[in-house]
PDB file of all heavy atoms in Angstrom:
ATOM      1  N   GLY A1422     123.959 108.140  65.458  1.00  0.00           N
ATOM      2  CA  GLY A1422     123.777 107.592  64.118  1.00  0.00           C
ATOM      3  C   GLY A1422     124.589 106.347  63.821  1.00  0.00           C
ATOM      4  O   GLY A1422     124.519 105.820  62.708  1.00  0.00           O
ATOM      5  N   LYS A1423     125.343 105.853  64.800  1.00  0.00           N
ATOM      6  CA  LYS A1423     126.178 104.675  64.558  1.00  0.00           C
ATOM      7  C   LYS A1423     125.667 103.494  65.398  1.00  0.00           C
ATOM      8  O   LYS A1423     125.430 103.647  66.601  1.00  0.00           O
ATOM      9  CB  LYS A1423     127.632 104.994  64.946  1.00  0.00           C
ATOM     10  CG  LYS A1423     128.622 103.872  64.727  1.00  0.00           C
ATOM     11  CD  LYS A1423     130.037 104.364  65.055  1.00  0.00           C
ATOM     12  CE  LYS A1423     131.046 103.225  65.037  1.00  0.00           C
ATOM     13  NZ  LYS A1423     130.877 102.291  66.155  1.00  0.00           N
ATOM     14  N   ARG A1424     125.475 102.354  64.738  1.00  0.00           N
ATOM     15  CA  ARG A1424     125.023 101.155  65.457  1.00  0.00           C
ATOM     16  C   ARG A1424     126.049 100.743  66.507  1.00  0.00           C
ATOM     17  O   ARG A1424     127.256 100.864  66.296  1.00  0.00           O
ATOM     18  CB  ARG A1424     124.827  99.994  64.464  1.00  0.00           C
ATOM     19  CG  ARG A1424     123.701 100.185  63.465  1.00  0.00           C
ATOM     20  CD  ARG A1424     122.344  99.873  64.064  1.00  0.00           C
ATOM     21  NE  ARG A1424     122.193  98.471  64.404  1.00  0.00           N
ATOM     22  CZ  ARG A1424     121.650  97.554  63.591  1.00  0.00           C
ATOM     23  NH1 ARG A1424     121.219  97.919  62.393  1.00  0.00           N
ATOM     24  NH2 ARG A1424     121.522  96.303  63.979  1.00  0.00           N
ATOM     25  N   LEU A1425     125.565 100.223  67.615  1.00  0.00           N
ATOM     26  CA  LEU A1425     126.464  99.762  68.669  1.00  0.00           C
ATOM     27  C   LEU A1425     126.850  98.306  68.455  1.00  0.00           C
ATOM     28  O   LEU A1425     126.042  97.509  67.966  1.00  0.00           O
ATOM     29  CB  LEU A1425     125.807  99.887  70.047  1.00  0.00           C
ATOM     30  CG  LEU A1425     125.340 101.258  70.528  1.00  0.00           C
ATOM     31  CD1 LEU A1425     124.946 101.180  72.004  1.00  0.00           C
ATOM     32  CD2 LEU A1425     126.428 102.308  70.350  1.00  0.00           C
ATOM     33  N   THR A1426     128.068  97.970  68.825  1.00  0.00           N
ATOM     34  CA  THR A1426     128.461  96.562  68.866  1.00  0.00           C
ATOM     35  C   THR A1426     127.903  95.955  70.154  1.00  0.00           C
ATOM     36  O   THR A1426     127.436  96.677  71.052  1.00  0.00           O
ATOM     37  CB  THR A1426     129.992  96.413  68.882  1.00  0.00           C
ATOM     38  OG1 THR A1426     130.477  97.007  70.106  1.00  0.00           O
ATOM     39  CG2 THR A1426     130.632  97.085  67.677  1.00  0.00           C
ATOM     40  N   ASN A1427     127.999  94.642  70.268  1.00  0.00           N
ATOM     41  CA  ASN A1427     127.536  93.995  71.500  1.00  0.00           C
ATOM     42  C   ASN A1427     128.299  94.512  72.715  1.00  0.00           C
ATOM     43  O   ASN A1427     127.721  94.711  73.788  1.00  0.00           O
ATOM     44  CB  ASN A1427     127.708  92.473  71.390  1.00  0.00           C
ATOM     45  CG  ASN A1427     126.644  91.858  70.514  1.00  0.00           C
ATOM     46  OD1 ASN A1427     125.489  92.306  70.517  1.00  0.00           O
ATOM     47  ND2 ASN A1427     127.016  90.849  69.739  1.00  0.00           N
ATOM     48  N   LYS A1428     129.588  94.727  72.556  1.00  0.00           N
ATOM     49  CA  LYS A1428     130.376  95.236  73.695  1.00  0.00           C
ATOM     50  C   LYS A1428     129.913  96.645  74.076  1.00  0.00           C
ATOM     51  O   LYS A1428     129.734  96.950  75.262  1.00  0.00           O
ATOM     52  CB  LYS A1428     131.869  95.257  73.357  1.00  0.00           C
ATOM     53  CG  LYS A1428     132.729  95.741  74.525  1.00  0.00           C
ATOM     54  CD  LYS A1428     134.190  95.776  74.207  1.00  0.00           C
ATOM     55  CE  LYS A1428     135.006  96.175  75.444  1.00  0.00           C
ATOM     56  NZ  LYS A1428     134.529  97.375  76.122  1.00  0.00           N
ATOM     57  N   GLU A1429     129.712  97.482  73.057  1.00  0.00           N
ATOM     58  CA  GLU A1429     129.233  98.844  73.338  1.00  0.00           C
ATOM     59  C   GLU A1429     127.850  98.807  73.985  1.00  0.00           C
ATOM     60  O   GLU A1429     127.541  99.616  74.869  1.00  0.00           O
ATOM     61  CB  GLU A1429     129.198  99.659  72.047  1.00  0.00           C
ATOM     62  CG  GLU A1429     130.589  99.999  71.520  1.00  0.00           C
ATOM     63  CD  GLU A1429     130.570 100.553  70.114  1.00  0.00           C
ATOM     64  OE1 GLU A1429     129.652 100.203  69.325  1.00  0.00           O
ATOM     65  OE2 GLU A1429     131.487 101.323  69.776  1.00  0.00           O
ATOM     66  N   TYR A1430     127.027  97.884  73.526  1.00  0.00           N
ATOM     67  CA  TYR A1430     125.684  97.726  74.099  1.00  0.00           C
ATOM     68  C   TYR A1430     125.775  97.416  75.597  1.00  0.00           C
ATOM     69  O   TYR A1430     125.110  98.043  76.419  1.00  0.00           O
ATOM     70  CB  TYR A1430     124.977  96.598  73.357  1.00  0.00           C
ATOM     71  CG  TYR A1430     123.596  96.233  73.852  1.00  0.00           C
ATOM     72  CD1 TYR A1430     122.479  96.957  73.467  1.00  0.00           C
ATOM     73  CD2 TYR A1430     123.411  95.125  74.678  1.00  0.00           C
ATOM     74  CE1 TYR A1430     121.213  96.603  73.905  1.00  0.00           C
ATOM     75  CE2 TYR A1430     122.144  94.765  75.113  1.00  0.00           C
ATOM     76  CZ  TYR A1430     121.046  95.497  74.717  1.00  0.00           C
ATOM     77  OH  TYR A1430     119.797  95.142  75.158  1.00  0.00           O
ATOM     78  N   LEU A1431     126.633  96.463  75.928  1.00  0.00           N
ATOM     79  CA  LEU A1431     126.762  96.096  77.336  1.00  0.00           C
ATOM     80  C   LEU A1431     127.398  97.223  78.162  1.00  0.00           C
ATOM     81  O   LEU A1431     127.112  97.383  79.340  1.00  0.00           O
ATOM     82  CB  LEU A1431     127.590  94.805  77.479  1.00  0.00           C
ATOM     83  CG  LEU A1431     126.943  93.556  76.875  1.00  0.00           C
ATOM     84  CD1 LEU A1431     127.918  92.379  76.893  1.00  0.00           C
ATOM     85  CD2 LEU A1431     125.660  93.190  77.620  1.00  0.00           C
ATOM     86  N   ASP A1432     128.252  98.005  77.524  1.00  0.00           N
ATOM     87  CA  ASP A1432     128.914  99.105  78.245  1.00  0.00           C
ATOM     88  C   ASP A1432     128.001 100.321  78.422  1.00  0.00           C
ATOM     89  O   ASP A1432     128.081 101.015  79.438  1.00  0.00           O
ATOM     90  CB  ASP A1432     130.168  99.567  77.485  1.00  0.00           C
ATOM     91  CG  ASP A1432     131.320  98.579  77.609  1.00  0.00           C
ATOM     92  OD1 ASP A1432     131.249  97.698  78.485  1.00  0.00           O
ATOM     93  OD2 ASP A1432     132.281  98.682  76.813  1.00  0.00           O
ATOM     94  N   HIS A1433     127.169 100.604  77.417  1.00  0.00           N
ATOM     95  CA  HIS A1433     126.490 101.903  77.386  1.00  0.00           C
ATOM     96  C   HIS A1433     124.956 101.875  77.361  1.00  0.00           C
ATOM     97  O   HIS A1433     124.328 102.867  77.715  1.00  0.00           O
ATOM     98  CB  HIS A1433     126.934 102.690  76.140  1.00  0.00           C
ATOM     99  CG  HIS A1433     128.374 103.089  76.164  1.00  0.00           C
ATOM    100  ND1 HIS A1433     128.872 104.040  77.011  1.00  0.00           N
ATOM    101  CD2 HIS A1433     129.434 102.634  75.440  1.00  0.00           C
ATOM    102  CE1 HIS A1433     130.175 104.184  76.810  1.00  0.00           C
ATOM    103  NE2 HIS A1433     130.546 103.344  75.867  1.00  0.00           N
ATOM    104  N   TRP A1434     124.355 100.787  76.874  1.00  0.00           N
ATOM    105  CA  TRP A1434     122.910 100.826  76.632  1.00  0.00           C
ATOM    106  C   TRP A1434     122.127 100.591  77.913  1.00  0.00           C
ATOM    107  O   TRP A1434     122.476  99.744  78.734  1.00  0.00           O
ATOM    108  CB  TRP A1434     122.529  99.781  75.587  1.00  0.00           C
ATOM    109  CG  TRP A1434     121.194 100.046  74.933  1.00  0.00           C
ATOM    110  CD1 TRP A1434     120.031  99.351  75.126  1.00  0.00           C
ATOM    111  CD2 TRP A1434     120.886 101.055  73.974  1.00  0.00           C
ATOM    112  NE1 TRP A1434     119.027  99.875  74.352  1.00  0.00           N
ATOM    113  CE2 TRP A1434     119.522 100.922  73.635  1.00  0.00           C
ATOM    114  CE3 TRP A1434     121.628 102.070  73.381  1.00  0.00           C
ATOM    115  CZ2 TRP A1434     118.892 101.763  72.720  1.00  0.00           C
ATOM    116  CZ3 TRP A1434     121.001 102.905  72.469  1.00  0.00           C
ATOM    117  CH2 TRP A1434     119.647 102.742  72.148  1.00  0.00           C
TER     118      TRP A1434
END
Side-chain angles (χ1 to χ4, degrees):
Chain A
K1423 181 176 172 290
R1424 294 280 294 266
L1425 301 190
T1426 64
N1427 284 324
K1428 182 180 184 310
E1429 289 168 331
Y1430 177 82
L1431 295 172
D1432 286 346
H1433 294 290
W1434 200 252

